[in-house]
Amino acid sequence: MRQAKLQVLGLCRWSYPSQTGAFNNTGESLEALQSELYAAERMAVRLFFLEHLVLPSLRAQSDPDFTLVLMMGETLPEPWRSRVLELVQDVPQVKPVFLPEGQNHMSACTALMRAHRDESADVVVEFRLDDDDAVASDFVAQLRGLYRQLRPIYKANKRVAVDFCRGFLFRCEDDGGVNYLPVEARLWTPALALYLPPDHPRSLLNYPHMRTWRSMPVLSLNKKPMFVRGAHEGNDSAIKERKVDSFRYKLETLPSVMASDFGVDLEAFEAAWSEVCA
């Protein structure tokens, strides 16, 4: 049997000003939305997570054969624009893209992902990484390895999803402290991936993540922690206050696990967050 060619393709939306009314943004015009999203205090938080959580986990991937499209607005101002480009320059898998602003968010994301698909691939494995989240260093490798088991289901349904549902919630407080919580959560966005045909007219953003199971078979795996989700006052969702299920975990081992399994220096993470809040 010929080995299938898989393309692993991710999306990170980094403060992109889409049409007004999207998410929890309050701006009533595009100009007001740009002012809200590009506020210096908010940008400092976004850069913190990009530098100390998102990018370390991507650099640490044991399988480097993936692409992550970093979606930004074309008017992203300085110094933030240059700082982002500086941070990603040593991660060749990250492809910065600056789009015209004010577009329908779903349409823009779908068009962007479809434009970056490899038409020669047999299967495209799509994932999204929010700008304050991380995935384990074997995330890409596991997505490839699992396809052999998923292949019959994929062939029968033309799409299938994998949900790594165990990870950590990092609650970053306004006083500069960080609280860590082991969590089990079904169909959260980090470490959720969809296997789709390259010519599929839809993309993962067209499938509301909590209802993925209504559109395709989903394999849920909770063998090991596979994601980190950042929680702070700037989240579009109310994840910081949401009640979540936990699992037993020795948090004293977290610094070594974050370093070995996520590429994240927890001491540097805490120090940088404290500085952002100062």
Side-chain angles (χ1 to χ4, degrees):
M1 181 183 297
R2 182 182 68 87
Q3 184 174 357
K5 178 181 179 181
L6 270 64
Q7 179 195 18
V8 180
L9 179 63
L11 174 67
C12 181
R13 301 162 293 173
W14 207 81
S15 298
Y16 172 73
S18 56
Q19 82 278 18
T20 57
F23 304 107
N24 292 329
N25 302 314
T26 58
E28 296 182 358
S29 67
L30 179 58
E31 292 74 19
L33 181 57
Q34 290 167 327
S35 178
E36 179 182 344
L37 293 181
Y38 295 153
E41 184 175 338
R42 183 181 183 279
M43 286 286 95
V45 171
R46 258 50 199 193
L47 276 175
F48 158 77
F49 279 107
L50 182 67
E51 180 175 2
H52 294 282
L53 191 62
V54 178
L55 292 178
S57 78
L58 296 178
R59 290 190 190 97
Q61 290 302 307
S62 59
D63 183 342
D65 186 10
F66 68 95
T67 299
L68 182 101
V69 181
L70 189 61
M71 175 182 175
M72 294 174 283
E74 63 182 5
T75 71
L76 177 65
E78 297 291 355
W80 319 115
R81 186 186 186 105
S82 293
R83 185 65 179 132
V84 170
L85 294 178
E86 179 185 352
L87 287 173
V88 304
Q89 67 180 355
D90 70 332
V91 191
Q93 295 88 350
V94 175
K95 183 172 183 180
V97 177
F98 296 93
L99 296 180
E101 298 167 2
Q103 299 186 63
N104 176 276
H105 193 83
M106 188 77 69
S107 299
C109 291
T110 300
L112 188 59
M113 290 296 277
R114 292 193 65 188
H116 285 86
R117 287 178 182 170
D118 180 358
E119 295 182 358
S120 70
D122 296 301
V123 182
V124 177
V125 190
E126 292 189 352
F127 69 96
R128 78 177 89 171
L129 196 59
D130 284 348
D131 63 0
D132 44 20
D133 297 338
V135 287
S137 58
D138 59 345
F139 177 66
V140 172
Q142 288 216 40
L143 292 179
R144 291 191 188 281
L146 284 167
Y147 182 68
R148 181 174 297 180
Q149 303 170 52
L150 293 170
R151 185 168 182 157
I153 303 175
Y154 174 82
K155 291 290 187 182
N157 296 273
K158 300 303 181 185
R159 54 184 182 263
V160 67
V162 168
D163 175 30
F164 293 104
C165 55
R166 177 170 284 195
F168 301 103
L169 184 64
F170 283 13
R171 285 195 171 116
C172 298
E173 307 294 346
D174 289 346
D175 62 3
V178 184
N179 295 311
Y180 304 104
L181 181 66
V183 293
E184 286 185 329
R186 60 184 176 85
L187 298 172
W188 271 8
T189 50
L192 172 66
L194 275 57
Y195 295 68
L196 302 169
D199 61 352
H200 195 68
R202 309 183 85 189
S203 184
L204 81 167
L205 264 295
N206 297 114
Y207 297 98
H209 61 96
M210 293 300 292
R211 298 199 295 273
T212 305
W213 62 273
R214 300 185 65 178
S215 302
M216 66 193 75
V218 178
L219 174 64
S220 293
L221 299 171
N222 66 350
K223 185 177 181 180
K224 62 177 292 235
M226 287 293 291
F227 68 82
V228 172
R229 189 164 189 185
H232 51 96
E233 292 300 328
N235 288 119
D236 285 318
S237 61
I239 186 62
K240 193 167 180 285
E241 286 75 33
R242 188 179 301 171
K243 184 178 180 180
V244 294
D245 293 325
S246 187
F247 63 92
R248 289 185 178 181
Y249 193 84
K250 296 180 179 180
L251 285 177
E252 61 268 23
T253 68
L254 190 60
S256 62
V257 169
M258 290 308 301
S260 62
D261 291 5
F262 289 83
V264 173
D265 183 334
L266 207 55
E267 184 177 351
F269 180 90
E270 293 174 350
W273 177 249
S274 179
E275 186 175 339
V276 167
C277 296

